[in-house]
Structures are given as structure tokens and as C-alpha cells.
Amino acid sequence: MSAPTDPKLRHPEKAKRPDNPIARKPDWIRVKAPTSKEYFETKELMRGMSLSTVCEEAACPNIGECWAKKHATFMILGATCTRACAFCNVATGKPDNLDPHEPLRVAIAIGKLGLEHVVVTSVDRDDLDDGGAQHFVETIQQIRRRSPKTTIEILTPDFKNKPGAAETIAATPPDVFNHNLETVPRLYPSIRPGARYFGSLQLLARIKEIDPAIFTKSGIMVGLGESKEEVGQVMDDLRAADVDFLTIGQYLAPTPKHAPVDRFVTPEEFQQYEAMARAKGFLMVSASPLTRSSYHAGDDFRRLREARAAKLAAAE
């Protein structure tokens, strides 16, 4: 089920904070409101099957484009997060009990949409002994049974203080394992206070260590007050963890109660970041104002496989 739409109910921990001004978006980052028939068909399917999507819950600016193509990023483990990150629009609070039928409903919806590639993400579930790792596994298994040709990308929480979570997921591997660092380590106390930068790096490194065949992916937002040098250091840290794919996008404040936008990074700067990342050895880089973790994920996955094949061929 979808979380409340009222910001005071979605983010009670932020309700008493003073409002931050919402900066006017530059021309290069504006998007049109969704109006397509396919968009509304996708929305009806999600509501009819009581499924949540990060497209809606996180107020993604690309929802109109993606849903018009019947591409959606499924959000499992409910619609209420146990954390309260300063950048995120997903509702915070005490989550409901796990729905044991959710993995099957996700798999059925994927079949109805005819997806070649799917992204499955989740809220943080610090209340669960494994952080929800087994629920991810069950979702992967249901998708494999019902849509064996669909490639699967999962975007997981950090599973902080949940021993064995990485091993649980790697035993039933997705095609792509994604976990976002979100920002530079200096900004973690204010932007991602419930997380630990090096814990997230260790999770990515551990997945690759267990199964080197799994593509690993991570992403950050810019425009939160980070420096170019700090972004470069994050790139180096991710390469040290053998991460294959990096995404970089512009941070947009969901409401006046969230962290303010420090500045809008220009398209030219994104091009510079992409060049930096490619020079550091990432197989794939997606860097633009509207880049999000699952934006064009299917096309990117095909290019990712081609890039690995080309790299292996060159090494022979």
C-alpha cells in the first residue's frame, strides 16, 4: 500500500523543522507532468495489486517518461522506512509486518508489464533481523520462476548491523546489485545520518568478493554542498571496492522540510564527472541532471554486459 501523501504524516520527524526555500529549477532540469495512457495504465496496475514503487514514493522526476514505457521500479518491504534521511521522500515511521505474498505480486506485475529488465528496491527495515535480505531473495526467486528471461537489478539498503545479509543475497544472485552511497562522507551526518559510509562500501565490496560475476552499481547525488575533489574521492573508493557502474544525478528537494539544494550542477559539469569516472575505470557511467539509479536501467544493463565482454576480450 502507498504511504500517506500528507508531508506531516509521511515525515513526522521533519514536521517541526523550519521550511527551506525551494529553489527554482533551471531549464535543463524541468520535466512535463505525466499524461500518457500508458502512465495511467501502469498506475492502475500498481494500485490494483497493492504494490509500491519508488517512482511514486520518492517523487522521481522521470516517472512520466518511465511509466509511459511501462517501466517501473518496485519497492518491497512495505512503503514505510525506519530511517529519516534528509534527502528522501519515502515515508518514515513504524512499518507494517512483512507481507509474505508481496514477492509473488511483484513477479505477477512484471509479467503483465512484459519487462525485459526490472529494478527492485526497498525501504530500510532496521526492525528486521536480516534487514529484509531474505525478502529480496524470495522476490528474485518468484521473478525467475514467472519471467525467466527478465534480468533483475536490486537496489538494497545497507543492512547495517545485520550479519550475513550480503551472503544471503549473493547465494541467489541478481544480475545487478546496486547500493547507493548517496553523497560524500563529510555530508553523512546531516544527509544520511542513519548510515555509515564505509559500511556501505564494505557491502558493495563483499558482494563482489562472494560472486565476481555479479555486476555492482552505486550512485550519488550532487548539489548538496560537496566539492569536486570529494566526488573524485568517492569514485576512487568505489573503484577500490570493484564497483562496475556509477550513476550521478542532481539532488532535488522533495519538500521544504528536506535538505535544501545547495546549487544546480550544470550539464557541462556532469559531463566532466562522467569523464572523470570513465578515466578511473568504471565499466559504465551515467551522469546527468535527471539521472537516477533506475533511469534507463534496462538499456544501461545491456551496455554494461557489452562493456564487460569487450574488456575481457581485450585482456585475452
Side-chain angles (χ1 to χ4, degrees):
M1 297 296 289
S2 292
T5 55
D6 184 339
K8 292 181 180 178
L9 298 177
R10 291 179 67 87
H11 309 290
E13 80 292 343
K14 297 179 176 71
K16 295 183 179 179
R17 294 181 184 175
D19 286 358
N20 292 309
I22 297 293
R24 179 178 172 82
K25 297 182 181 68
D27 291 340
W28 64 76
I29 209 165
R30 295 177 191 172
V31 294
K32 295 180 180 179
T35 58
S36 72
K37 175 175 67 72
E38 292 79 8
Y39 165 82
F40 289 105
E41 288 174 349
T42 303
K43 185 171 185 176
E44 184 178 356
L45 174 64
M46 298 304 167
R47 295 296 76 74
M49 300 194 70
S50 298
L51 292 171
S52 297
T53 68
V54 75
C55 320
E56 296 171 287
E57 303 300 339
C60 180
N62 302 315
I63 188 170
E65 178 186 346
C66 293
W67 282 26
K69 299 175 182 176
K70 296 198 172 182
H71 294 171
T73 298
F74 294 86
M75 191 170 78
I76 61 173
L77 297 169
T80 305
C81 189
T82 54
R83 298 192 194 170
C85 294
F87 65 88
C88 184
N89 197 45
V90 174
T92 299
K94 183 178 179 181
D96 295 328
N97 293 331
L98 276 187
D99 179 354
H101 304 295
E102 186 179 55
L104 176 59
R105 292 203 310 278
V106 168
I108 291 172
I110 289 167
K112 289 184 176 182
L113 290 168
L115 299 184
E116 295 179 3
H117 183 84
V118 65
V119 182
V120 179
T121 188
S122 80
V123 293
D124 279 288
R125 289 298 299 263
D126 294 323
D127 58 312
L128 301 175
D129 289 341
D130 68 348
Q134 183 59 36
H135 204 71
F136 269 101
V137 167
E138 291 168 8
T139 303
I140 292 170
Q141 290 171 336
Q142 289 287 359
I143 297 169
R144 298 265 191 242
R145 290 190 191 110
R146 290 182 168 269
S147 300
K149 293 184 180 180
T150 300
T151 50
I152 302 171
E153 179 173 331
I154 61 173
L155 171 55
T156 77
D158 58 11
F159 302 118
K160 188 176 71 172
N161 301 326
K162 309 295 181 182
E167 288 76 8
T168 295
I169 286 176
T172 306
D175 297 282
V176 181
F177 178 87
N178 185 359
H179 172 64
N180 287 334
L181 293 184
E182 306 293 8
T183 188
V184 301
R186 177 177 58 84
L187 296 178
Y188 263 52
S190 59
I191 301 301
R192 201 177 175 221
R196 300 293 180 269
Y197 178 78
F198 288 105
S200 288
L201 280 173
Q202 288 166 3
L203 172 64
L204 288 158
R206 180 60 180 148
I207 291 289
K208 183 67 84 171
E209 179 184 7
I210 297 169
D211 187 350
I214 300 175
F215 288 104
T216 50
K217 178 177 176 180
S218 190
I220 61 169
M221 302 168 289
V222 290
L224 281 161
E226 71 293 325
S227 69
K228 187 174 182 179
E229 291 73 21
E230 287 176 312
V231 172
Q233 184 61 59
V234 170
M235 292 180 187
D236 289 339
D237 292 342
L238 287 169
R239 288 302 302 130
D242 203 15
V243 170
D244 300 300
F245 186 179
L246 173 64
T247 62
I248 307 175
Q250 171 70 50
Y251 168 66
L252 299 173
T255 75
K257 300 295 184 184
H258 286 75
V261 174
D262 178 73
R263 72 186 186 95
F264 290 104
V265 179
T266 66
E268 291 74 23
E269 289 176 278
F270 277 104
Q271 290 175 0
Q272 293 171 9
Y273 279 138
E274 179 172 348
M276 283 174 57
R278 291 191 182 280
K280 290 177 184 292
F282 289 96
L283 282 179
M284 271 286 297
V285 184
S286 179
S288 74
L290 289 174
T291 290
R292 298 295 183 267
S293 292
S294 55
Y295 190 42
H296 297 162
D299 293 337
D300 286 343
F301 177 65
R302 285 189 287 274
R303 286 194 286 268
L304 191 60
R305 285 194 296 193
E306 291 168 0
R308 174 182 281 178
K311 182 178 180 180
L312 292 174
E316 291 179 355

